[in-house]
Amino acid sequence: MDRIRITGGVPLEGDIPISGAKNAALPLMTASLLTDGPLQLSNLPHLMDISTLVNLLTSLGVDITMEGDADDDGHTGRVLTLTCGDLSGTTAPYDLVRKMRASILVLGPLLARAGTARVSLPGGCAIGTRPVDLHLAGLAELGAEIELTDGYIEARAPRGLKGSVIRFPRVSVGATENLLMAASLAEGETVLENAAREPEVGDLANCLTAMGAEIDGIGTDRLVVTGVPRLAGTRYRVMPDRVETGTFAVAAAITGGDLTLRHADADGVSAVAEVMARAGVAVKQKAEGLRVRRNGAGISAVDVTTQPYPGFPTDMQAQVMALMAFSDGAAMITETIFENRFMHVPELARMGADITVSGSSAMVRGVSELKGAPVMATDLRASVSLVLAGLAATGDTLVNRVYHLDRGYERLVQKLAACGARIERISDRGESVRDG
Ligand code: UD1
């Protein structure tokens, strides 16, 4: 298994191109199941999770072609054309779903298009139990008959789906996306209340609109969908990744560097930018992207509580904790979205961080120095927080289980190395390897 070795202490300087958003690309890809026309998606990141979904969609009968492209910066993004002429199946098997929870996003589209779907229940997940009850209750509200058998969700809508009013008892990004797609082909009007407002939901809604769906309230927590009999293919560009943007913003801050994050959109990262500003980091929107720098000044401690958008994102909690580990005070970090999302804490502590967890809160007392160590984490964002800590620590940090990073960060090692980081990926045989 590959590892990443980092020798910390270099302030990062330069430009980093921000890739297309994984969490927007995945639901957009599943929207191809809703139409027999070609859906062409550009600016797709090259990531393991995308490949996993390509495999799942292919197994359902979606014909997929992939090309690379490059814009003026030489920034490569993939162009994927997905055409689902006829479905060849309606089952998402355990083997594929267990690799990626977002596979559940085929449920709504399959049900709407074919009137039947069989999707494996996602397995246990390292960041809490993460049930799918909101997805199922919403689809049942649209008239689907749902049974759970042998670890599979069996859903049927023999007479089609019918619009209804669905009020989510809690905000769920995935359930909002599944219902948005299903409702687009349902009969009549569907109202989604307490819907997730994450920009990735907006990206999906805009693409569905371009495919012929009728959706009002995009960007708000009340989406009104008027079902249409059919949707058409379209071309759509995936939004920039706001978690990748935030992660590299922390890389600039934690190393006392100066980075310009190309293609980054300040609007989507305002909660992170606000925390940065309060910590003493300058964040400025420029024509070419977002410039983030910390010149000499220390890092002020800032309390952070994760919330649904537009609040502070749970997907940035681990990274900001790494930053606060170097602050000149004490920061309380509270996680309200997922239980058990503090797996990075014991690893950061092994590097010398002073963190005490009590329930869903972590008290982070800043220290003047972290020391490099062999570390590993069991999820994507926790892993990248260890890379960030390693960039600012003294000595060598060896991050194990790099496959978590491959799921969500495109060319992470290359992007950081291009800005001066002493970082390399090494194979289990100890050889330096290129970061795909
Ligand atoms: C998406 C993101 C993930 C991010 C999360 C929260 C993708 C592919 N993933 O995940 O990176 O961390 O949003 O911003 O976009 N819940 C239920 N029942 C359900 C569904 C969810 O109780 O049926 C709970 C979850 O356990 C969690 C909370 O609701 O505690 C939010 O989850 P949700 O917004 O659904 O996350 P995902 O869509 O899985």
Side-chain angles (χ1 to χ4, degrees), residues 74-310:
H75 166 52
T76 56
R78 295 284 163 115
V79 179
L80 218 60
T81 305
L82 306 100
T83 312
C84 185
D86 286 306
L87 284 166
S88 62
T90 52
T91 296
Y94 175 69
D95 262 3
L96 290 171
V97 177
R98 78 182 163 83
K99 287 192 186 149
M100 189 184 60
R101 189 188 144 78
S103 308
I104 188 76
L105 292 172
V106 301
L107 180 62
L110 281 177
L111 199 53
R113 171 99 177 254
T116 178
R118 188 165 174 268
V119 177
S120 171
L121 280 164
C125 171
I127 53 173
T129 46
R130 299 182 81 172
V132 290
D133 56 317
L134 302 176
H135 300 242
L136 304 188
L139 291 169
E141 190 62 48
L142 296 187
E145 297 157 13
I146 295 175
E147 277 174 47
L148 300 182
T149 348
D150 303 329
Y152 275 79
I153 302 159
E154 313 255 6
R156 270 177 297 275
R159 287 170 300 283
L161 297 170
K162 295 213 166 40
S164 184
V165 178
I166 296 163
R167 182 166 176 83
F168 294 109
R170 63 183 301 187
V171 178
S172 163
V173 174
T176 303
E177 291 168 343
N178 239 335
L179 267 296
L180 201 50
M181 290 189 278
S184 293
L185 286 182
E187 190 190 317
E189 186 180 272
T190 299
V191 182
L192 302 178
E193 294 180 347
N194 199 27
R197 283 181 284 166
E198 268 66 4
E200 294 77 12
V201 175
D203 223 27
L204 173 65
N206 286 328
C207 179
L208 290 170
T209 303
M211 292 166 72
E214 289 179 25
I215 304 172
D216 285 329
I218 297 174
T220 74
D221 65 356
R222 188 172 187 275
L223 296 166
V224 180
V225 187
T226 308
V228 293
R230 65 178 298 275
L231 294 174
T234 192
R235 297 163 75 150
Y236 196 80
R237 183 174 172 83
V238 177
M239 63 179 278
D241 195 313
R242 64 196 174 94
V243 186
E244 191 194 24
T245 303
T247 301
F248 287 128
V250 172
I254 206 167
T255 62
D258 184 348
L259 292 177
T260 297
L261 310 176
R262 286 190 180 271
H263 319 292
D265 167 28
D267 288 350
V269 295
S270 55
V272 173
E274 194 193 313
V275 167
M276 293 284 192
R278 287 173 54 208
V281 179
V283 181
K284 206 165 179 186
Q285 181 78 63
K286 301 265 185 190
E288 63 275 25
L290 211 59
R291 183 172 177 198
V292 185
R293 73 199 151 103
R294 178 173 70 88
N295 289 339
I299 298 162
S300 303
V302 182
D303 293 341
V304 172
T305 299
T306 62
Q307 295 286 355
Y309 191 86

Side-chain angles (χ1 to χ4, degrees), residues 314-361:
T314 174
D315 285 349
M316 280 299 300
Q317 179 256 108
Q319 299 91 314
V320 91
M321 190 182 293
L323 181 65
M324 289 303 137
F326 289 93
S327 78
D328 52 21
M332 179 74 92
I333 299 189
T334 304
E335 173 59 58
T336 72
I337 308 293
F338 291 112
E339 55 195 272
N340 193 19
R341 203 174 195 183
F342 283 142
M343 281 95 56
H344 41 289
V345 170
E347 300 300 298
L348 290 171
R350 293 182 61 245
M351 298 174 74
D354 180 356
I355 306 172
T356 315
V357 174
S358 171
S360 59
S361 290

